[in-house]
Every structure is written in C-alpha cells, then in structure tokens.
Amino acid sequence: MNAGANPPALQGQGDGYLFSRGQAWFAFAMTIGLMMFDYIDRQVIVALFPYLKAEWGLSDKQLGGLVSAVSVTVALAAIPVALLADRSSRIKSVVVMAMVWSLASISCMFSRGYGSLLAARALVGLGEAGYGSVGAALIASHFPARLRGAVMAAFFASASVGSVLGVLLGGLIAARWGWQAAFGAVGVPGLLLALLYLKVRDYPTVKLTPRLDQATRSPRDTFGAIVQALLRSRSMLWLCLAGAAQLVVVSAVWAWLPSYLNRSHGMAPEQAAMRAAMVVLCGALGAVLWGALADFAGRRRPRARLHVTALLCLASMAVLIGAFGAASFGYPISAGTQFALLALGGCLMTCTVGPMAAAVIDVVHPGVRATGSSVLSLFQNLLGLAAGPFIAGLLSDAWSLQQALTAIPLFSLLAAAALLTASRRYEADLRRAGEASEQEAAMPAAPAPRRALA
C-alpha cells in the first residue's frame, strides 16, 4: 500500500477518475454484485415466514427478530471492520466478509430450531458488517465528485434488487424444495463472486495527521473521535438520524409485506413473495431516481438536496398510510388500487438511500471515508433496519399486521424533520470538510497535528 499517496480524486477535488474509467466501472459492477448477494442473503428469510410460522409456531416478534438479528450484528461490528479496512486492504476485507456471510447463510439450512437459526442469522450479519461502508468508500474514491451522488444511489439501490431476488427466490425455492433449500441456493454464488473481487483495484491509503491517525488506531479511540465528530458536525448527526428513521419504514415494509399479502388477501406464500418483490423493485428504481433528483436539486444550493428528500419522505408516508389504512379509515379500496399505492409508496420510501450516503461522505475527512460511512451504517442498521421489522412484529402481536403497517410510515415524519434540521448546517459543514481536504493535500511529509475527523 502507498501510505503517502494523496491523489486529487481521493480528496474529492477533481473531476477525473482515480485510475481509469474502465477500472472505475469494473469496481462499481463487482461491488454492486456483492451488494446484491449481501441483501439476497439478508432478505430471503422474509419469504419463509409463513413456513417457519406454520412449522415452529413462531410469534411475529420472533419472526421479526430473525431479520433484525442481521442488522444488529452489522451495526455492532461495522465500525471495527471499516476501521481495519481503511488502514489496510479494502479488497481483502471485502473478500473475507463475503465468504463469511455466504457460509453463514448456507449454515441456516441445517438449523433445527429457532435458537440455532437466530444464531446463524447473526453470523450472516457479522460477515456483512462494514461491507456497505467499505464498498461505498471504494466507489466514491474511484469516481469523480460530479457522479458521486448518482453512483452512491445506484450502489445502494442494488440492495433493493438483492432484496427483490431474495424474496422472489426464497418463495419459489421454498414452495418446490422446502425452506431449508432456499438458504443453500442463495449462499453459494456469493462465495464465487468473492474470489473474483480480488481483481478490483484498491485506492491508496491516505496519509493521516498524527491526531487523526491516533483517533483511528482502535475501536475505542474511533468511538471517541466519532462522538466528537458528531458533536462538531451537527449536519452529520441529523443526516444519520434521518436515514435511520426512514429505513424503519423501508425495512418493516420489506420484511412484512409477503406475510401481509398472505394473511390479508389469502395469497399463497410464493405468490405473495412475487408481489412483494415487485414493490421492492420499485424501491430500487426509486432510489436511483430520487438520488439523481437530489443531485440535480443540490447543484446550486447543496441544502436543496436535503429539502427535496424531506418532501419525498412525507410523500411516502402519505401514500403508505393510505395503502395500508384506507379500509380502517372508512375508505375501502380495491386490491388493484391498493397494490398500485404500495408500488408508489415502495418507490418513494427509498428516497434517502443515495442522498444520505453521498452527504455523509462529503462532510468527512477523505482518509476515513469508510469509517465515516460506517457511522451512517451504525445508525441505519441499529436504529433503522434492525428496529423496523421488530417494531412491526411487536405491533402486529399487540394489534394486527395491517394496523402495524399503517402506523409504521409515521417514522417518515421523523426523517423529514431531521433532514430539515440537518439542512441548516449542511453547507457550512460541507465547506469546512472541503477546506480540510485542501489543507491536507498541501501538507508536507511531516504535518503538524490537526483536529481529528474533519
């Protein structure tokens, strides 16, 4: 590794590619491929809920826990993994992560009870920990700044595509060969893609100032630096909260829609999985569309990126509450109309995926982009992806699944409020991060100590 290299593209100053256009798009394709298998292995479980409930008699809270377990371990391990990747080899870290989560997914097929399946699902999350943040940092460094928001949106939209395939394949395979076979079928391809990932070129590790280097030597030091960074960069704190709140909605709908269609409309599990997969696919398309729209809105006034995203959050709330709760409010709608509203809501609710990743990366020091992205990942996984399915399961046990899914979209209101709060400081934090990058690029080989996590 060239620890002293400090290429302009890595600093976010130039419009050129880090190595070449071809290398950038190859890294993008491979990273997206693994992201898809990451979420295939995560989401395959939701198509199997009806089978697990029938065979083991599980409550909705227990079923939600099988989804949340992955996100909890991702959240807890993401920062140490990203910290190691930032200071060593991101490529080798990705390869190891992909092999671990694929093997853990395969091991789920041998579970004989809830406890062993829950443990295996937690291991899937342990393998996936840090992948989103490391992959995002890798792509961000390969591409010029003018394309960063769009490629970030596409990268994280691939999670939606993976979720579509996970739900779809899980339903089809379980209907024909049993739910155990679904885990094995989706785990093997990830092992093969992990080996191909060794062909991706890594970006050079950026030279850090003494204090910044000290702040990233251990998870404990990093945690302290993260707290300082969040207190200093208020926009980053509110961006992380906004992303987490909106992902409560996304994760709950993705996890419970197949079961909702099965229970409320009497669909067979495989048919419900196919319908739910179409809604998730709308989310994948929406993530790219809204990421591009936010980039366009923020060209002249960066804070407009956050304003537009806040409006989209509110729109998703209104549409999803109408889709799930129209009958409860005395406005019964046809199944076709409801599905159209679910598809529109699914498209709208992923609006924060690309803009939040790009915004957080833009306000952190370029030498710790993976670690900075892992902060967002921590919030998104622990307070968003882990919380959504579990909260919906609790509400479903207490009320009904339909009432739970009617209430969950209210979290979009919290997301919109956090985005508007973040917009007040976003441009100032963006300028400060840019100035820090320029100063780092101009420093001699023996720089004076500077503040951590600019």
Side-chain angles (χ1 to χ4, degrees):
M1 304 295 297
N2 183 5
N6 228 355
L10 200 54
Q11 296 295 333
Q13 297 171 346
D15 280 345
Y17 293 88
L18 180 60
F19 297 112
S20 68
R21 186 187 301 269
Q23 287 288 344
W25 287 108
F26 176 71
F28 178 74
M30 293 297 296
T31 307
I32 272 190
L34 273 183
M35 189 67 159
M36 288 174 59
F37 280 104
D38 179 329
Y39 275 81
I40 287 174
D41 290 357
R42 283 197 196 198
Q43 292 298 118
V44 67
I45 189 76
V46 305
L48 311 181
F49 278 1
Y51 299 97
L52 293 169
K53 191 175 185 69
E55 185 170 333
W56 290 347
L58 303 180
S59 68
D60 285 351
K61 179 179 68 175
Q62 289 175 308
L63 292 172
L66 293 173
V67 180
S68 299
V70 176
S71 298
V72 169
T73 50
V74 167
L76 296 178
I79 289 178
V81 170
L83 175 62
L84 177 63
D86 254 334
R87 305 273 43 95
S88 57
S89 169
R90 284 148 292 271
I91 303 303
K92 292 180 180 178
S93 298
V94 166
V95 171
V96 171
M97 284 188 280
M99 295 185 71
V100 169
W101 88 57
S102 297
L103 290 171
S105 183
I106 294 171
S107 74
C108 291
M109 67 186 297
F110 302 108
S111 299
R112 293 296 178 264
Y114 181 75
S116 60
L117 182 57
L118 184 66
R121 292 287 295 169
L123 286 176
V124 172
L126 184 62
E128 294 174 351
Y131 178 70
S133 53
V134 175
L138 192 70
I139 291 175
S141 298
H142 268 274
F143 282 87
R146 70 180 185 276
L147 299 177
R148 198 165 291 151
V151 297
M152 286 294 97
F155 170 61
F156 288 105
S158 66
S160 301
V161 177
S163 297
V164 169
L165 293 174
V167 174
L168 184 60
L169 292 173
L172 293 175
I173 295 171
R176 186 164 185 177
W177 292 293
W179 63 264
Q180 293 92 342
F183 289 114
V186 300
V188 172
L191 294 174
L192 302 178
L193 194 59
L195 297 177
L196 292 175
Y197 203 86
L198 291 169
K199 297 293 185 179
V200 175
R201 292 187 66 177
D202 199 357
Y203 64 81
T205 297
V206 176
K207 178 176 58 181
L208 302 178
T209 60
R211 187 172 178 182
L212 186 54
D213 182 64
Q214 177 63 35
T216 57
R217 286 185 182 275
S218 70
R220 180 179 178 181
D221 292 336
T222 303
F223 180 78
I226 285 169
V227 172
Q228 294 177 16
L230 289 173
L231 292 176
R232 184 166 59 252
S233 177
R234 295 300 177 87
S235 64
M236 181 176 176
L237 173 61
W238 289 106
L239 288 168
C240 290
L241 290 173
Q246 187 64 16
L247 282 181
V248 169
V249 182
V250 175
S251 60
V253 172
W254 284 5
W256 286 107
L257 188 56
S259 293
Y260 169 78
L261 296 173
N262 172 249
R263 298 180 196 179
S264 298
H265 296 281
M267 293 186 184
E270 63 272 21
Q271 184 182 6
M274 293 180 67
R275 284 293 186 95
M278 293 175 65
V279 174
V280 177
L281 181 59
C282 290
L285 298 175
V288 177
L289 175 62
W290 309 131
L293 178 63
D295 278 350
F296 178 79
R299 284 183 179 178
R300 293 187 177 181
R301 295 184 61 206
R303 72 173 66 179
R305 168 192 285 179
L306 307 186
H307 293 162
V308 167
T309 307
L311 290 174
L312 291 169
C313 288
L314 295 176
S316 73
M317 178 186 69
V319 172
L320 288 172
I321 288 178
F324 289 114
S328 300
F329 298 140
Y331 299 98
I333 57 177
S334 66
T337 301
Q338 184 188 43
F339 185 75
L341 288 175
L342 289 173
L344 177 59
C347 179
L348 289 166
M349 70 183 180
T350 56
C351 58
T352 60
V353 172
M356 293 308 93
V360 168
I361 283 175
D362 285 343
V363 296
V364 299
H365 189 285
V368 286
R369 277 181 178 149
T371 306
S373 296
S374 72
V375 179
L376 176 63
S377 177
L378 174 65
F379 277 79
Q380 289 181 329
N381 280 281
L382 196 58
L383 301 181
L385 296 176
F390 189 72
I391 292 173
L394 283 174
L395 294 178
S396 178
D397 286 337
W399 304 337
S400 70
L401 185 54
Q402 179 172 340
Q403 290 177 320
L405 292 177
T406 302
I408 282 291
L410 291 173
F411 278 91
S412 293
L413 187 61
L414 298 178
L419 281 166
L420 293 177
T421 304
S423 69
R424 299 173 185 173
R425 291 281 306 169
Y426 177 63
E427 291 179 352
D429 288 341
L430 195 62
R431 286 193 297 270
R432 183 172 52 80
E435 291 169 0
S437 294
E438 292 174 1
Q439 292 169 0
E440 287 289 325
M443 277 188 172
R450 292 179 56 79
R451 293 165 63 184
L453 287 182

